[in-house]
Amino acid sequence: MRRKLAAGNWKMNGLSTDMGEVAALPTSLGVEVLICPPATLIDRMVRDPNTFVQVGGQDCHPNPNGAHTGDISAQMIADAGASHVILGHSERRQDHGETDALVRSKIDAAWSMSLVAVLCIGETEAQYQAGETLDVLRTQLAGSLPDGAAPGNLVIAYEPVWAIGTGLVPAMAEIEAVHGFIRTELATRFGTDTADGIRLLYGGSVKPGNADEIFAVPDVDGALVGGASLKAADFGAIITALDAAG
Ligand code: PEP
């Protein structure tokens, strides 16, 4: 039985004055809620007595420490009290040239600190138009995932790059086919029991207005939400929709 997960990716947004958005989220629902704020807010969010959410980082360096100005290690993220870390987000892949091999080494680093890795994979618009989606995902999974993936250390977010922040969303049948494909790929490599336990999130322009239909898609165990996770009214509605999806 996979517990539903609503994950918010605040990206480079959020100041101490935004903490009220977390405190205002619905509580006592049967779903897990994770927020990945900028690194500057991790400690504050973990310690805030008014928040019940799990807290994650948005990236980590493969090394535990060293001369890497501006980077943050998995050790630091864990030390700040976070439980998860997003890795391989398309904005990291695009803006920082991250390869599958680098993402894989970051997942190893996350696991060495007992952080749950939220691995993002997804095709670009050109790849989608060329019908290459499944090939791209197969390559990203094979290259990014170390051995040892398990339901307790991994969440996978399918995020079509062309759907992030654009208001565009694939057809529900496409999301279903892709999530089914990812689970089959996981089963081939890690076995059916492991694959059946790993949560698969959809990400890309999830909003209160489309959450119900996305959460009704088989093999969608929740969402990774960017823009709509910044305001409690929107993210709260998405959390409530996920809870209602059962
Ligand atoms: C994201 O960046 O992970 C994301 C899903 O963004 P948005 O919800 O804004 O499309």
Side-chain angles (χ1 to χ4, degrees):
M1 185 63 186
R2 298 183 297 270
R3 191 147 187 246
K4 306 280 182 183
L5 173 62
N9 173 14
W10 279 19
K11 313 192 190 197
M12 199 173 73
N13 299 291
L15 301 172
S16 53
T17 46
D18 296 308
M19 290 295 297
E21 299 298 331
V22 186
L25 291 172
T27 56
S28 309
L29 297 178
V31 302
E32 273 180 44
V33 180
L34 167 70
I35 294 188
C36 301
T40 48
L41 287 183
I42 291 177
D43 174 69
R44 186 184 290 258
M45 211 172 275
V46 167
R47 289 175 194 264
D48 191 325
N50 299 314
T51 69
F52 71 101
V53 300
Q54 300 182 86
V55 182
Q58 297 180 8
D59 178 50
C60 71
H61 195 278
N63 294 352
N65 48 49
H68 306 287
T69 304
D71 280 317
I72 185 166
S73 71
Q75 202 172 33
M76 292 165 180
I77 290 170
D79 185 51
S83 51
H84 294 64
V85 60
I86 296 172
L87 294 170
H89 192 281
S90 59
E91 287 155 12
R92 299 287 318 173
R93 293 178 189 263
Q94 284 177 343
D95 297 354
H96 300 270
E98 293 197 0
T99 62
D100 289 333
L102 179 61
V103 174
R104 181 185 176 120
S105 65
K106 291 181 175 202
I107 294 178
D108 274 328
W111 288 352
S112 76
M113 293 311 304
S114 300
L115 294 171
V116 177
V118 181
L119 169 64
C120 300
I121 56 174
E123 80 285 1
T124 64
E125 183 174 13
Q127 291 164 334
Y128 174 74
Q129 296 297 353
E132 296 169 357
T133 299
L134 300 186
D135 288 338
V136 169
L137 298 178
R138 183 185 288 113
T139 301
Q140 289 179 333
L141 284 171
S144 310
L145 269 183
D147 293 335
N153 65 20
L154 179 70
V155 172
I156 293 181
Y158 167 53
E159 298 207 310
V161 179
W162 51 273
I164 293 178
T166 60
L168 301 172
V169 173
M172 296 305 120
E174 291 176 304
I175 295 177
E176 181 175 352
V178 167
H179 280 236
F181 172 80
I182 294 170
R183 205 171 296 288
T184 302
E185 287 291 298
L186 292 174
T188 302
R189 180 157 167 208
F190 300 107
T192 308
D193 286 352
T194 297
D196 283 347
I198 292 174
R199 289 174 293 181
L200 307 184
L201 310 183
Y202 168 77
S205 295
V206 177
K207 310 277 180 221
N210 60 20
D212 284 336
E213 63 171 342
I214 292 171
F215 295 148
V217 174
D219 273 313
V220 172
D221 303 312
L224 180 54
V225 184
S229 70
L230 294 170
K231 292 291 169 202
D234 290 338
F235 198 40
I238 291 168
I239 293 168
T240 303
L242 184 60
D243 188 54

